[in-house]
């Protein structure tokens, strides 16, 4: 498949998509708030300026776009083929920066949760909420966790299985 857009035009389109996608972040905030979590937003003093910070739980949350942050194995992360050479280094830089930010946060004793935009579909919000709750409320759990579409679907399927029993 060839990309019909020039790389500049594609850049513009991708940026537009990203700004529309403040939506997943708003969805995540609502779920957390409904669960009684209180948080701060876009904390500049922390590495990577995390989207959501829960001081009480020493946990930070990034709501990441699957393309910009290259969600592994996600269909939304696939590069436009004709401009792959243009995108690859750009996205690789994003990924590298992410890894450095997560490491710095971990070094400061914070736990990091990455919620991928593909996990923020209306249909799967309840699962997303349950998974976030589980991670946040378990301070002795893993220091890093990602929730994407496959994680929320796995939980949904497990619940369906239980209901079927
Ligand atoms: Zn994804």
């Amino acid at each position: 498949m060839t990309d019909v857009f020039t790389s500049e035009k594609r850049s513009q389109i991708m940026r537009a998509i990203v700004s529309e996608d403040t939506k997943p972040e708003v969805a995540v905030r609502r779920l957390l708030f409904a669960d009684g979590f209180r948080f701060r937003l876009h904390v500049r003093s922390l590495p990577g300026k995390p989207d959501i910070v829960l001081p009480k739980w020493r946990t930070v949350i990034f709501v990441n776009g699957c393309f910009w942050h290259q969600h592994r194995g996600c269909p939304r992360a696939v590069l436009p083929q004709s401009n792959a050479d243009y995108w690859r280094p750009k996205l690789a830089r994003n990924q590298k920066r992410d890894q450095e930010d997560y490491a710095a946060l971990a070094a400061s004793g914070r736990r990091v949760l990455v919620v991928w935009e593909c996990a923020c579909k209306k249909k799967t919000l309840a699962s997303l909420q349950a998974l976030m709750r589980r991670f946040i409320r378990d301070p002795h759990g893993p220091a890093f966790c990602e929730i994407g579409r496959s994680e929320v679907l796995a939980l949904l399927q497990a619940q369906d299985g239980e209901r079927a029993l």
Side-chain angles (χ1 to χ4, degrees):
M1 199 176 63
T2 50
D3 197 340
V4 294
F5 299 110
T6 63
S7 52
E8 264 160 65
K9 181 72 187 163
R10 169 62 65 188
S11 228
Q12 216 180 346
I13 292 168
M14 290 300 177
R15 260 196 296 276
I17 291 170
V18 167
S19 52
E20 257 172 53
D21 268 350
T22 44
K23 264 167 125 193
E25 196 191 313
V26 172
V28 167
R29 280 189 226 161
R30 286 203 184 115
L31 296 175
L32 292 169
F33 194 82
D35 260 349
F37 293 114
R38 294 300 174 258
F39 43 81
R40 294 169 58 207
L41 302 175
H42 309 290
V43 178
R44 286 170 193 281
S45 55
L46 290 177
K49 199 174 86 162
D51 297 313
I52 299 167
V53 176
L54 298 101
K56 181 181 166 188
W57 300 93
R58 282 193 80 72
T59 295
V60 305
I61 303 178
F62 291 91
V63 184
N64 281 352
C66 299
F67 181 77
W68 286 111
H69 298 270
Q70 286 293 288
H71 185 196
R72 210 176 314 136
C74 179
R76 293 178 180 217
V78 175
L79 299 187
Q81 233 167 29
S82 67
N83 287 325
D85 289 344
Y86 167 80
W87 285 108
R88 208 168 286 118
K90 246 183 177 358
L91 298 172
R93 271 197 300 277
N94 288 352
Q95 278 178 291
K96 187 167 176 279
R97 201 181 311 124
D98 287 344
Q99 292 311 316
E100 289 166 357
D101 291 338
Y102 302 158
L105 287 159
S108 73
R110 290 178 177 85
R111 302 168 69 229
V112 177
L113 173 61
V114 173
V115 176
W116 294 101
E117 63 174 345
C118 60
C120 301
K121 299 257 187 173
K122 219 173 185 173
K123 223 179 81 178
T124 57
L125 287 182
S127 306
L128 172 61
Q129 186 176 34
L131 291 173
M132 290 197 297
R133 190 189 302 139
R134 192 184 291 173
F135 174 79
I136 297 165
R137 289 188 163 279
D138 180 11
H140 304 297
F144 179 83
C145 173
E146 294 181 80
I147 304 175
R149 189 173 155 74
S150 48
E151 285 79 18
V152 288
L153 288 180
L155 181 63
L156 266 186
Q157 276 159 10
Q159 286 167 340
D160 283 348
E162 275 168 36
R163 269 196 287 275
L165 287 176

